[in-house]
Amino acid sequence: MIRTAALLCSAALSLPAAATAVHAQETGLDTSVLSAMESKIRSGAFHDVTSVLIARDGELVYEEYFDDEGQAALRNTRSATKSITDILIGIAIDDGAIEGVDARVVDFFPELRPFANPDPRKDAITIEDFLTMSSLLECDDGNSFSRGNEERMYLIEDWVRFTLDLPIRGFPAWVPKPADSPYGRSWSYCTAGVTTLGGVLVKATGQPVWEFAEEQLFRPLGIETADWQLSPTGLAQTGGGLALRSRDLLKLALLYANGGLWDGRRIVSEEWVRASVTPRAFVREGTEYGYLWWLRAFGARHDEAFFMTGNGGNKVLVFPDLDAAVVITSTNFGRSDAHALTDRLLEDYVLPALAR
C-alpha cells in the first residue's frame, strides 16, 4: 500500500535557461548514469522518448531533448491532462465556485434531463466519484465492449450527455463490489467522467476551461502556451490531449511538490494537494489512485511517487523522499510496451542517477 506522500520543502523554485551536465554534477546527480541513458535513448533502445527533465530541491538540474523540436515543443502527454484537471477542480473548490467533492454532478446539468438509463444511483454520483475513477457508471476504457469506453464517446457530439446517459454498471461475481474493495470504491478507468468534470468547471466558474486555467493556473506559473483539444461542442477536453512544453509540465509537478505554492504565491491549497495524492482507490497490487493522480513505488529502493501519466509512456512524477520531480515525454502512442519502456528508463537510469 502506498502511504500518503509527504510534500517537498518550500524551497525557492528555479528554472534556469539551461540545465547542463556540469550543473547536474554539482547538484549531486550521477552524470555517468545520465550519459549512459542518453546513449541508450539515441540508439533507439527506448524508441521515441522525446525529453527527460529532472528537478531536485525545486531546481531544474537536468534537461535533455531527443527530437528535433527541443525545448519549445508542445508535448501532447495525453491523459496526463487528467491530473491538471484535478488542480483546476481544487482551485475552483478553494475559491468557492464548487461547494466541495461531495457536490452531485447531475446538479450542474439540469438542462440535460431526462437522462437515458435513469437511476437514483446515477443522481448520487459526486465530483469525488469522477476524481477517483470510481463512479457506478458503466465506463471502462480498458474494455472495448464497455458502453462508456472513450472511443465511443468521441463518436458523439455532446460528451457530457454521453457520460450522463450511461447505465449503472453491473458487478459479476468475479469483480469486487465497492463495499468489498479497498477504500470502499471499485476503480474503473473512465475518461468520460473526467471529461464531464470539464463541463462542471464551465458551469461552476462561468468561464471556458482554457480561460479559467490560464487565469488561475498557467499565467501565475509563467506557462505561456497551452494547446487544448476540444469536443465537437467546444468543451475543452479535460480528460486528455492538452499539449504543454516539458518545462511547463515540470512546473506543475513542482507546484504539487511544494504543496500548492509557486514562488511564494498560493495557487491551490495545501489541503487540496494532500487530498489529491492520498490513496483513495485500489488499481492493482502496488498501484493506487488519488484524485486523478497515480500512486506507486519505483525501482530497487521502492521510491514512492505521485504522478501524471498518459498514452505513449508519458510521465510527470514527484518523488517526495528524493526531493525530486521528473518529466519523461514520449511519442510511443499505441505501443503495448510504452509504459514499460518509460518505467525501465526511470528505474534503470533516472532513479540511480538521483541516488545519494
Side-chain angles (χ1 to χ4, degrees), residues 73-85:
L74 294 175
R75 310 290 175 178
N76 183 341
T77 52
R78 303 294 175 92
S79 284
T81 305
K82 291 179 170 70
S83 304
I84 300 169
T85 300

Side-chain angles (χ1 to χ4, degrees), residues 7-264:
L7 303 177
L8 301 190
C9 64
S10 56
L13 306 176
S14 174
L15 293 175
T20 65
V22 171
H23 190 206
Q25 191 169 30
E26 290 173 348
T27 52
L29 271 69
D30 188 331
T31 55
S32 64
V33 174
L34 294 174
S35 294
M37 176 192 74
E38 292 173 9
S39 296
K40 283 288 187 180
I41 294 173
R42 291 196 168 97
S43 73
F46 289 97
H47 302 282
D48 294 316
V49 167
T50 53
S51 71
V52 178
L53 281 69
I54 303 171
R56 178 152 246 173
D57 298 323
E59 182 181 2
L60 178 61
V61 294
Y62 176 82
E63 178 179 33
E64 192 62 49
Y65 297 90
F66 301 94
D67 61 4
D68 294 333
E69 298 183 63
Q71 186 185 111
L74 294 175
R75 310 290 175 178
N76 183 341
T77 52
R78 303 294 175 92
S79 284
T81 305
K82 291 179 170 70
S83 304
I84 300 169
T85 300
D86 161 75
I87 304 175
L88 297 176
I89 290 287
I91 293 171
I93 289 175
D94 289 342
D95 290 347
I98 296 174
E99 185 176 351
V101 295
D102 293 330
R104 302 193 321 165
V105 173
V106 297
D107 291 343
F108 290 90
F109 306 102
E111 76 282 2
L112 296 183
R113 289 187 182 273
F115 305 119
N117 302 295
D119 191 294
R121 292 171 292 178
K122 182 186 293 187
D123 290 344
I125 291 171
T126 66
I127 287 174
E128 186 172 46
D129 292 328
F130 282 160
L131 289 171
T132 55
M133 298 282 191
S134 59
S135 82
L136 289 178
L137 294 180
E138 198 289 283
C139 182
D140 184 357
D141 292 348
N143 183 347
S144 61
F145 295 100
S146 172
R147 292 196 199 181
N149 186 287
E150 68 173 311
E151 298 302 330
R152 296 174 185 265
M153 179 181 73
Y154 298 139
L155 303 176
I156 304 299
E157 183 179 50
D158 189 333
W159 294 353
V160 173
R161 176 175 284 284
F162 170 89
T163 305
L164 298 180
D165 279 346
L166 291 172
I168 294 296
R169 66 182 292 193
F171 291 90
W174 56 89
V175 177
K177 296 180 180 179
D180 302 322
S181 303
Y183 311 105
R185 294 183 175 276
S186 185
W187 187 87
S188 178
Y189 195 80
C190 176
T191 294
V194 188
T195 301
T196 299
L197 289 177
V200 168
L201 282 168
V202 171
K203 289 300 191 77
T205 67
Q207 297 177 272
V209 171
W210 62 83
E211 183 178 286
F212 180 73
E214 180 183 359
E215 290 182 3
Q216 301 295 325
L217 180 60
F218 294 159
R219 192 181 302 158
L221 268 60
I223 296 174
E224 298 176 350
T225 306
D227 185 14
W228 291 89
Q229 302 293 316
L230 303 181
S231 78
T233 62
L235 177 67
Q237 169 55 310
T238 49
L242 172 63
L244 296 168
R245 297 188 314 155
S246 298
R247 281 190 167 209
D248 293 335
L249 291 165
L250 186 64
K251 289 178 181 179
L252 293 164
L254 290 173
L255 174 68
Y256 262 41
N258 205 38
L261 285 174
W262 182 263
D263 197 23

Side-chain angles (χ1 to χ4, degrees), residues 289-310:
Y289 207 70
Y291 286 163
L292 302 178
W293 288 79
W294 297 79
L295 312 167
R296 60 162 285 197
F298 292 88
R301 297 190 311 267
H302 302 287
D303 295 308
E304 293 181 358
F306 57 87
F307 59 101
M308 317 176 188
T309 190

